[in-house]
Amino acid sequence: MVYYILAFIVFLLDQGTKYLIATRMELREEIPVIGNFFVITSHRNSGAAFGILQDQRWFFIVVTLIVVVALIWYLQKVKDTPHKLLPVALSLVLGGAIGNFLDRALTGEVVDFVQLNFGSYTFPIFNIADSAICMGVALIIVETLLEGRREKAAAKIEGNEHHE
């Protein structure tokens, strides 16, 4: 249950920040937070990350539904494992996926607002859901690497036991 609560918190943070941006800022309005490095920018994206696949609303809705069902199924499968990193990672991805799904289902576009500039390069504008999805995927990769180490350590111990 705690993992679904975490996903719900991510969803609420995402939707709350998007609501504030959509209702209190004009489209393309910018508020510098840390000079020109971190700027809150009201932006809409009808595509995926980096603006790819613009105006593919139904594609994203179907794919996201499949992903959400798969995430819930896998979260149910791993939620009682002794290692908690994977369920936490899946919760972050689930909350983010549902946040962006709701935007696309209701309006056909996602509210993005976090703009980071690195000199003359501007990273694509993103939101809390995108951040949660990226953090979740990074944690899934870390957990996969850790699991590989654990399996190697267990195989080594088992090998030593057979030699004794």
Side-chain angles (χ1 to χ4, degrees), residues 6-24 44 64 92 94-113 126-133:
L6 177 60
F8 188 62
I9 290 170
V10 168
F11 172 78
L12 290 178
L13 282 173
D14 177 63
Q15 291 298 301
T17 53
K18 289 174 177 173
Y19 175 78
L20 290 174
I21 298 298
T23 59
R24 308 228 172 154
R44 305 298 180 270
T64 304
L92 292 173
L94 181 62
I98 293 173
N100 279 342
F101 170 81
L102 185 62
D103 287 358
R104 286 191 179 100
L106 294 178
T107 65
E109 60 187 14
V110 172
V111 176
D112 288 332
F113 59 93
F126 58 96
N127 58 41
I128 301 296
D130 299 332
S131 300
I133 291 169

